[in-house]
Amino acid sequence: MKHTWHCTPSLLLSFVHICLVQANYAPYFFDNGDRSTNGNMALLSLSEDTSIGTHVYTLNGTDPEGDPVTYGLTYEAGSRRYFSVDEHLGNVTLVEELDREKEDEIEVIVSISDGLSTVSEKVRILVTDANDESPEFINTPYIVQVPENTPSGSSIFKIEAVDRDTGSGGSITYFLQNIHANKFTIDRHSGVLRIKTGVTLDYEKSRTHFVVVVAKDGGGKLRGDNKVFSATTTITVNVEDVQDTPPMFIGTPYYGYVYEDTLAGSEVLTVVALDGDRGKPNSIHYCIVNGDEGSFEISNTTGAVSVIKSPNQLKKEVYELKVQASEVSQEGDISEYAFATVTIRVVDLNNHPPTFYGENGPQNRFELTMYEHPPEGEILRGLKITVNDSDQGANAKFNLRLVGPGGIFRVVPQTVLNEAQVTVIVENSAAIDYEKFKVLTFKLLAIEVNTPEKFSSTADVAIRLLDTNDNVPKFSSDYYIARIPENSPGGSNVVAVTATDPDSGLWGEVKYSIYGTGADLFLIHPSTGIIYTQPWATLDAEVNSKYNFYVKAEDTDGKYSLAEVFITVLDVNDHSPEFNENIQEKTMIIGSPVKIEAIDQDAEEPNNIVDYSIMQADPANVFDIDQSTGEIKLKSYIRSLDIIHNITRNKDCIWSLVVQAKDRGSPSFSTTAVLKIDITEETLHKGPMAAFLMQTKDNPMKALGVLAGVMGIMVMITVMISTAMFWRNKRSNKIMPVRRIIKKRQVHPPRTVRMEWLKLRRSSNAAEKFIVEEDARNENSNNNAQAGVPPPPAPHPPPLPVTAAAPTWRVPTVSGSLTPTFINKQLRKKGPGSAHSALVSELKLKFEKRNAALGDPHI
């Protein structure tokens, strides 16, 4: 029974535990449908332009037992993590940017747990489209070859652009820029490019057309705004030449002369015909159709007309030949042709020089106005010049040439027989420059070839050029460097930039502007190019001494050039030297200098170089100062406090100096300050007590706090000892006499003690310092007293100080004392031979000297 009694409770607890475990039900999510913002996150859809950090859903579920639930989000391996969830609140936040074009479905495993059971569900989040893609042309560049005889309205090309968005944002329409100036149209839906109805292409007028096509999507929402994106491309339409233009004769009408001394078979004149289709010209075949009467023939290939009979066999004075020029294809077929009339006169005297004719008769000056840079090969059709020699035969044969700047024009024909139409053709378009020549002047010279007289004549040809905007404004320099003093007022001129545009009229007017991060403080006059500071600008070399920006020169058509401007702000001596805050009081150890420092905020030398000097000292033969470093040290002959005591009766060794810091600028600025120097000897730093006094000389409250704390501890110890003695006497019921054992101490000669002045943060009349000076007679500088010598008794507190007359720049002082309890406690703690015994002895001697000094009316 005893064994059964021990097993029963254990079985009962196990049974209860099993029941509790079996009674736990798993948590579950709420299924609130596709439009709900909380539940199990099923059927959730998000726009791809949803901002990162947006709260997109709240997971929501419950536990049948009412236990608190936590939520979780997990992803399959390798999947990007788009969401994070607050496991307690179920708030789902977007943490990765969505892009439907890359991933339009996101699979997430959501879970809910009550601590014992966890239920997980895989859900899919649909990423819906936003109009964030621009149309993009494919298979670019677009270059189309179109024969010039293609009928109007014909389809010549189809472009295609794609937009990865869906819906209206993915639909694309096409249209042309400058549709009114175009010879083409485009189907806004299919992108098919056609020649406009009623328009034909002409290779001889324009060989290339550039068609700018714009593809625009249908627009859609992007981050709450309706956005429409577009893209542009250029279709280059090259017009192919087609044989659709007949040949043309050059230099018509044709006149030839046969003289009486002309030999049979001599060349009379040459006709020239060219294929009107200049892209792929055919060769020309010449023939005489009629009018030759068996007296003349023509070269089929060169067009040279020759007489085949002697002049005396010619029966007519004037022959009119009808010459045909036919195009011969590469296959040898004759297609297009043209006719010209050649008039041949039979003469026998050379009594006329070549003569130039205009539209109204003989003329020796011809003028023409044209734009600069005409196309090369263009004929100057405005020059109506005919040259004629009335003689016949060889007497009427002469050469034509232009006299003047070479290589710009050429004249056709170069050899004339009797009469010809003079044609001037452009050879060098670049040389026909308005900026170089306003007027191009040539002489047209005609001189006979085969006559002994060499008759000749000239005509002046003046071509006045008209300007076009073919030049870009050009700066006189690629960069400008300027300097300006920092104290220049607002609106001060800095530098003038100059750009010139050799074009005339409005095209040559230059407008200036500046831009860049360094241009905020500056303005430029748009016409003069003068750069000046903003009216409100304040330049400061200490803040920023360098500025750099760009200046732009632009003409009326938007042609421009750039130059760079570098501005240096020159430093001006506008700051005075300023001393450090801790300059007012210094402690000088004999043999070591003290240093003062003043900072000048000017940016450049010599404005920020500071020189130091002592303006006032009493006496004046104690200190030296280094002009450059500001180090103050004692005169070389002062090696101990005894020497200082011999110089002055002021035994506390506190000096006040008026020091000056002066910069080297022009004009120069200076600052003065009163410096109080406390002189001591190096031995002060040897003992712990001396180190403590030195560390606390500038913080009297710290010293007083330590003294008060030590005194308080001693009072507490005394109270505790008295209490213990009282209870012991009370228990024994006896009154014990107080035993005092007074041991006679050995008296040593006193040492001079000087205690550091302790700064008391009070008014100037209550400035107090304690000075502690250790005896320098110990050669080892260890300040240890002889072994076994007990410390002297503590001195009595000194009387109140008597205010003595002092110079206005000296700091008044007040004596101080240390309590005997503190000193005795320290001496007992350290034991005989401690450095503190010597310090206490010196302190006593110092107090006695101070009391005597306060009683002396001369001190």
Side-chain angles (χ1 to χ4, degrees):
M1 291 297 292
K2 183 176 180 181
H3 178 73
T4 305
W5 182 83
H6 283 289
C7 294
T8 302
S10 176
L11 293 175
L12 182 62
L13 290 175
S14 299
F15 177 75
V16 172
H17 177 71
I18 294 172
C19 292
L20 290 175
V21 171
Q22 291 178 350
N24 181 66
Y25 292 96
Y28 61 89
F29 282 106
F30 296 128
D31 188 358
N32 296 327
D34 58 341
R35 297 186 180 276
S36 176
T37 60
N38 65 84
N40 60 354
M41 212 172 172
L43 303 177
L44 174 64
S45 61
L46 291 176
S47 177
E48 64 176 327
D49 60 352
T50 303
S51 301
I52 294 176
T54 303
H55 174 206
V56 297
Y57 198 81
T58 300
L59 293 176
N60 193 4
T62 186
D63 182 72
E65 290 82 15
D67 292 335
V69 295
T70 58
Y71 304 95
L73 286 179
T74 57
Y75 301 85
E76 293 184 354
S79 300
R80 182 174 294 182
R81 299 176 177 273
Y82 286 95
F83 306 98
S84 66
V85 65
D86 185 312
E87 64 176 4
H88 298 292
L89 301 178
N91 294 333
V92 179
T93 303
L94 181 67
V95 296
E96 183 75 20
E97 186 175 351
L98 301 176
D99 189 347
R100 186 202 63 83
E101 286 72 30
K102 294 181 180 179
E103 191 172 0
D104 58 359
E105 281 189 2
I106 302 171
E107 288 189 352
V108 181
I109 300 172
V110 298
S111 63
I112 182 172
S113 173
D114 62 358
L116 295 175
S117 300
T118 300
V119 176
S120 299
E121 297 181 11
K122 181 183 288 188
V123 295
R124 291 186 178 180
I125 291 89
L126 301 179
V127 181
T128 59
D129 188 48
N131 191 25
D132 59 344
E133 299 287 337
S134 299
E136 182 179 353
F137 289 95
I138 61 175
N139 300 325
T140 58
Y142 299 132
I143 301 175
V144 186
Q145 306 292 334
V146 181
E148 65 176 334
N149 61 351
T150 302
S152 63
S154 298
S155 171
I156 61 173
F157 192 69
K158 180 179 180 180
I159 65 172
E160 184 177 358
V162 295
D163 191 319
R164 296 190 298 172
D165 290 320
T166 60
S168 62
S171 63
I172 297 177
T173 56
Y174 306 92
F175 60 91
L176 302 181
Q177 287 185 353
N178 302 324
I179 188 170
H180 299 292
N182 260 318
K183 292 188 175 184
F184 307 93
T185 61
I186 193 169
D187 188 283
R188 64 190 305 267
H189 298 293
S190 65
V192 174
L193 186 69
R194 292 184 173 87
I195 302 174
K196 276 186 180 179
T197 303
V199 174
T200 57
L201 304 180
D202 192 340
Y203 177 86
E204 287 69 37
K205 292 182 179 179
S206 180
R207 302 180 183 184
T208 304
H209 300 274
F210 298 99
V211 184
V212 179
V213 182
V214 179
K216 183 175 69 173
D217 64 20
K221 292 291 185 179
L222 179 63
R223 296 183 177 90
D225 297 328
N226 190 48
K227 295 289 185 180
V228 177
F229 293 99
S230 62
T232 60
T233 189
T234 300
I235 303 175
T236 302
V237 180
N238 294 322
V239 181
E240 295 180 340
D241 189 27
V242 176
Q243 293 296 328
D244 59 349
T245 304
M248 297 180 295
F249 282 95
I250 297 176
T252 59
Y254 293 113
Y255 295 96
Y257 297 92
V258 177
Y259 297 93
E260 58 183 355
D261 57 351
T262 301
L263 298 177
S266 299
E267 181 180 326
V268 179
L269 80 163
T270 301
V271 297
V272 179
L274 299 176
D275 186 355
D277 301 303
R278 303 304 301 274
K280 297 178 181 179
N282 289 327
S283 58
I284 304 298
H285 179 273
Y286 301 96
C287 65
I288 298 176
V289 178
N290 56 44
D292 60 317
E293 296 182 4
S295 300
F296 300 93
E297 65 178 5
I298 190 171
S299 172
N300 294 335
T301 57
T302 65
V305 178
S306 304
V307 59
I308 57 178
K309 292 182 179 180
S310 62
N312 56 5
Q313 294 177 328
L314 300 178
K315 298 179 181 180
K316 298 172 63 176
E317 184 178 351
V318 178
Y319 289 87
E320 291 188 351
L321 310 180
K322 186 176 182 181
V323 179
Q324 176 179 317
S326 306
E327 294 183 20
V328 181
S329 65
Q330 295 180 356
E331 293 78 13
D333 300 329
I334 296 177
S335 55
E336 302 288 340
Y337 54 86
F339 298 98
T341 300
V342 178
T343 302
I344 300 176
R345 294 179 180 274
V346 180
V347 293
D348 55 353
L349 298 175
N350 183 27
N351 55 357
H352 296 91
T355 305
F356 293 98
Y357 293 86
E359 292 181 339
N360 299 320
Q363 188 173 332
N364 60 2
R365 181 175 177 83
F366 299 88
E367 295 182 356
L368 173 67
T369 300
M370 60 181 290
Y371 285 101
E372 63 179 340
H373 304 305
E376 293 182 3
E378 182 173 315
I379 298 174
L380 305 186
R381 301 185 186 277
L383 291 175
K384 306 292 185 180
I385 305 174
T386 302
V387 62
N388 174 267
D389 190 329
S390 300
D391 295 326
Q392 296 182 358
N395 294 333
K397 188 176 182 179
F398 55 92
N399 289 336
L400 282 176
R401 68 173 182 263
L402 285 173
V403 180
I408 300 178
F409 300 99
R410 64 183 175 91
V411 64
V412 175
Q414 294 181 351
T415 301
V416 179
L417 187 60
N418 189 251
E419 186 175 288
Q421 182 77 28
V422 178
T423 301
V424 179
I425 300 175
V426 176
E427 270 196 329
N428 187 355
S429 175
I432 307 174
D433 192 348
Y434 177 85
E435 285 69 37
K436 296 179 180 178
F437 310 99
K438 302 295 186 293
V439 179
L440 287 171
T441 303
F442 299 87
K443 282 189 177 296
L444 190 59
L445 173 63
I447 183 171
E448 293 179 349
V449 178
N450 297 322
T451 63
E453 296 85 1
K454 298 293 182 180
F455 290 143
S456 65
S457 63
T458 60
D460 294 325
V461 178
I463 300 175
R464 301 183 183 277
L465 298 179
L466 299 177
D467 193 21
T468 60
N469 190 19
D470 61 333
N471 290 282
V472 175
K474 185 176 181 180
F475 282 97
S476 59
S477 176
D478 292 334
Y479 58 89
Y480 294 86
I481 299 176
R483 297 175 176 84
I484 181 173
E486 66 176 347
N487 60 351
S488 300
S492 298
N493 290 349
V494 180
V495 65
V497 299
T498 304
T500 57
D501 189 333
D503 292 320
S504 62
L506 296 176
W507 292 327
E509 293 182 4
V510 178
K511 181 181 179 181
Y512 300 93
S513 59
I514 58 177
Y515 68 96
T517 56
D520 297 340
L521 297 182
F522 302 91
L523 297 172
I524 189 169
H525 194 282
S527 57
T528 64
I530 296 176
I531 297 175
Y532 54 95
T533 59
Q534 294 270 12
W536 48 264
T538 300
L539 302 178
D540 193 345
E542 289 74 36
V543 176
N544 189 0
S545 61
K546 302 290 183 183
Y547 294 89
N548 170 227
F549 52 85
Y550 291 93
V551 59
K552 178 181 180 182
E554 183 177 13
D555 65 17
T556 53
D557 272 358
K559 294 183 177 181
Y560 68 92
S561 63
L562 301 176
E564 198 163 9
V565 179
F566 299 88
I567 297 176
T568 300
V569 180
L570 300 178
D571 184 44
V572 176
N573 192 22
D574 56 352
H575 289 84
S576 299
E578 295 181 2
F579 284 101
N580 292 339
E581 295 180 357
N582 58 351
I583 189 179
Q584 295 180 356
E585 298 180 6
K586 297 282 186 179
T587 299
M588 175 182 288
I589 300 174
I590 294 178
S592 299
V594 296
K595 185 175 181 181
I596 61 174
E597 185 177 12
I599 303 299
D600 194 314
Q601 297 297 330
D602 288 310
E604 298 176 0
E605 298 180 1
N607 297 332
N608 59 4
I609 297 179
V610 180
D611 292 331
Y612 303 90
S613 61
I614 297 176
M615 303 298 295
Q616 183 179 355
D618 185 18
N621 60 347
V622 176
F623 298 96
D624 286 328
I625 189 169
D626 190 299
Q627 177 182 353
S628 300
T629 64
E631 285 189 351
I632 301 174
K633 56 186 177 180
L634 295 171
K635 296 284 187 178
S636 59
Y637 64 87
I638 300 177
R639 297 186 179 89
S640 66
L641 290 177
D642 295 334
I643 299 176
I644 297 178
H645 293 162
N646 294 332
I647 296 174
T648 176
R649 298 183 63 187
N650 186 6
K651 303 305 181 180
D652 57 3
C653 301
I654 297 179
W655 306 82
S656 294
L657 306 180
V658 178
V659 292
Q660 182 190 62
K662 183 178 182 181
D663 62 30
R664 298 184 183 178
S666 179
S668 178
F669 292 94
S670 63
T671 301
T672 60
V674 176
L675 171 64
K676 296 179 178 61
I677 298 180
D678 185 3
I679 302 177
T680 184
E681 288 185 337
E682 188 176 6
T683 55
L684 182 63
H685 299 279
K686 297 300 182 179
M689 177 61 73
F692 170 76
L693 294 175
M694 282 298 298
Q695 293 174 2
T696 60
K697 72 180 185 66
D698 294 332
N699 192 348
M701 299 307 296
K702 181 178 180 181
L704 295 177
V706 172
L707 293 175
V710 172
M711 292 177 64
I713 293 173
M714 293 183 66
V715 170
M716 291 179 62
I717 294 173
T718 303
V719 172
M720 291 173 64
I721 294 173
S722 299
T723 304
M725 293 295 293
F726 171 77
W727 285 107
R728 189 184 71 173
N729 294 336
K730 185 176 180 182
R731 290 177 182 176
S732 63
N733 295 322
K734 294 181 181 180
I735 299 176
M736 301 298 294
V738 177
R739 296 183 180 181
R740 297 185 63 184
I741 301 174
I742 300 176
K743 188 180 289 186
K744 187 175 181 180
R745 303 177 184 270
Q746 185 179 356
V747 179
H748 294 275
R751 296 183 181 180
T752 57
V753 178
R754 191 170 67 251
M755 184 174 183
E756 293 258 14
W757 292 101
L758 301 176
K759 299 178 184 178
L760 300 179
R761 302 299 181 182
R762 300 177 183 174
S763 63
S764 60
N765 294 330
E768 297 180 357
K769 296 184 177 180
F770 293 96
I771 298 180
V772 176
E773 180 181 10
E774 293 183 357
D775 190 357
R777 290 177 293 177
N778 188 345
E779 295 180 354
N780 295 328
S781 300
N782 54 15
N783 295 324
N784 290 331
Q786 295 181 2
V789 179
H796 296 286
L800 295 176
V802 179
T803 305
T808 57
W809 49 276
R810 294 297 299 271
V811 178
T813 60
V814 65
S815 299
S817 63
L818 298 177
T819 62
T821 305
F822 173 78
I823 296 176
N824 293 334
K825 185 176 179 66
Q826 292 295 326
L827 293 175
R828 284 195 293 270
K829 184 176 181 181
K830 296 296 181 178
S834 171
H836 297 285
S837 62
L839 288 175
V840 172
S841 298
E842 293 174 357
L843 183 60
K844 176 182 178 182
L845 182 59
K846 179 62 181 179
F847 286 160
E848 291 174 354
K849 290 182 178 181
R850 178 54 58 92
N851 294 335
L854 294 176
D856 190 350
H858 299 288
I859 298 179

